[in-house]
Amino acid sequence: MKTTLLRAGLALGLVMSMSAAQAQQGFSFVALGDLPYGPPEKAYGPYRALIERINQVGPDFSLHVGDFKSGSTLCSDEEFANQREHFQRFKGAVVYTPGDNEWTDCHRANNGSFDPLERLAALRQRFYTPGRSLGQQPLAVQNQSSLMPSHGRYIENQRWMHQGVLFATVHIVGSNNNLESRNLAAVQEFFERDAANVAWTEAAFEQAGLQQAKAVVLAFQADVLEAKSFWEDFPGGSGFRKIIGETLLPLASRWGKPVLVVHGDSHQFKIDQPFQFNKKPLPNITRLIVPGATDVRAVKVTVKNSAFSFEMIEIAP
């Protein structure tokens, strides 16, 4: 097994609210997603080896940004149970936010022709407990379902503070965020969840201000720029227009401090700064796309001395 260092050293002006000793040492977390992909006999072994490698690295916690199965495998209770067991293989804490493959796409025949909303309810029941994450050493988290009664079903939207940085998961998924105009139930689900996501994102930045956070890290599944047009990043039919274009980007612009966005969906590792607001770049937002699918790797993110650095975690061939 080996770890390939990719010291991006993005100087984000990140001044941590911690002691001098903590600032010198920093902290790290691991980001991964779109894993495992494929039938158990092929996908589970490499994924379990990657989890073991993450356990050896020993991050403060891990973030799984959704799609714990491929888009062409069953959305069965057995698969859900297997993936719940995988999360419990992490010796530390792991925070999980759903992807589209776990529920929105489950109506497909090769997924078992499940009801997507029933699968979403099953995810919430099986993978989320108020106040704590998954993993062998759970992290204390706050859930939207507990803090906002008007959005009481969104237990999957979580947040926590760690050494001066506010982390939050937001339930934003691929397949255009489930905005499917041909399906009335999907449209209703989309608008309700979109409103919850907007409220949760606004609350995250408000909390970051109240706690004098030095950075915000947001994690979700979707590649929100995948369907941008020549004229707009978030055209009228985009399921990401309100939550990203009209909420996250103006909030980040006004806040001005570093924001790290972590997502999967497109399966190709990338670190960039692609977002703009009012036709102007937003240099305080950095995006990390985690590898996935056939690329069975994870990313260790270290926060130290006013910089984020990124390190690939690999398993032996």
Side-chain angles (χ1 to χ4, degrees):
M1 298 182 182
K2 63 179 182 179
T3 301
T4 302
L5 193 64
L6 294 175
R7 290 290 180 188
L10 296 178
L12 302 177
L14 183 63
V15 182
M16 308 304 295
S17 58
M18 59 181 84
S19 69
Q22 286 177 314
Q24 182 65 29
Q25 183 178 3
F27 72 93
S28 66
F29 65 93
V30 166
L32 71 159
D34 301 291
L35 294 171
Y37 262 42
E41 60 272 17
K42 292 184 178 181
Y44 283 11
Y47 182 52
R48 290 169 179 172
L50 181 63
I51 294 172
E52 180 56 32
R53 183 72 188 101
I54 292 169
N55 288 338
Q56 293 172 1
V57 171
D60 289 32
F61 52 87
S62 297
L63 283 171
H64 191 293
V65 293
D67 274 12
F68 62 42
K69 59 175 286 296
S70 75
S72 58
T73 53
L74 291 178
C75 297
S76 63
D77 287 345
E78 180 182 7
E79 180 69 14
F80 280 21
N82 290 342
Q83 299 310 330
R84 181 68 164 73
E85 191 274 333
H86 281 143
F87 286 136
Q88 293 311 109
R89 287 174 176 258
F90 285 80
K91 289 184 178 179
V94 56
V95 180
Y96 157 68
T97 185
D100 57 342
N101 288 353
E102 289 95 292
W103 67 278
T104 71
D105 299 336
C106 290
H107 65 280
R108 298 172 180 171
N110 62 358
N111 279 230
S113 300
F114 289 89
D115 175 2
L117 296 184
E118 184 277 330
R119 290 290 82 187
L120 176 56
L123 281 175
R124 288 169 171 157
Q125 180 181 24
R126 293 166 182 259
F127 290 88
Y128 298 97
T129 301
R132 63 184 177 89
S133 72
L134 296 162
Q136 295 178 25
Q137 299 181 49
L139 191 69
V141 300
Q142 295 177 314
N143 307 84
Q144 186 174 20
S145 56
S146 300
L147 296 181
M148 297 181 176
S150 60
H151 301 295
R153 70 180 64 180
Y154 297 94
I155 190 171
E156 67 272 20
N157 283 346
Q158 302 157 91
R159 76 183 185 205
W160 64 101
M161 286 286 294
H162 190 76
Q163 294 193 18
V165 177
L166 187 137
F167 289 80
T169 62
V170 190
H171 191 172
I172 307 170
V173 296
S175 301
N176 201 33
N177 210 9
N178 201 37
L179 178 55
E180 174 49 75
S181 59
R182 297 168 295 181
N183 185 317
L184 182 60
V187 170
Q188 181 178 353
E189 187 285 326
F190 162 78
F191 280 111
E192 291 176 355
R193 180 168 43 82
D194 201 41
N197 285 338
V198 167
W200 191 239
T201 303
E202 291 174 342
F205 279 91
E206 180 181 5
Q207 189 70 10
L210 290 173
Q211 296 193 249
Q212 298 183 332
K214 304 306 180 183
V216 169
V217 178
L218 295 178
F220 47 80
Q221 188 256 335
D223 184 345
V224 297
L225 292 175
E226 187 176 43
K228 69 178 182 178
S229 72
F230 180 79
W231 299 274
E232 291 185 89
D233 287 346
F234 307 103
S238 171
F240 311 114
R241 184 182 181 99
K242 189 170 183 63
I243 181 57
I244 303 297
E246 298 176 2
T247 302
L248 171 58
L249 300 187
L251 284 171
S253 177
R254 288 195 297 270
W255 196 55
K257 298 178 183 179
V259 177
L260 178 64
V261 170
V262 183
H263 72 77
D265 196 18
S266 48
H267 305 162
Q268 294 186 350
F269 170 72
K270 181 184 288 187
I271 302 167
D272 60 4
Q273 294 180 317
F275 295 107
Q276 57 181 351
F277 180 61
N278 289 337
K279 306 297 184 181
K280 296 180 180 180
L282 288 172
N284 66 312
I285 303 182
T286 297
R287 177 176 70 160
L288 164 63
I289 305 177
V290 300
T294 58
D295 188 353
V296 186
R297 297 185 294 170
V299 183
K300 178 183 175 183
V301 183
T302 299
V303 186
K304 180 180 179 181
N305 294 336
S306 304
F308 288 158
S309 60
F310 304 88
E311 183 177 345
M312 296 305 300
I313 299 176
E314 302 181 351
I315 58 175

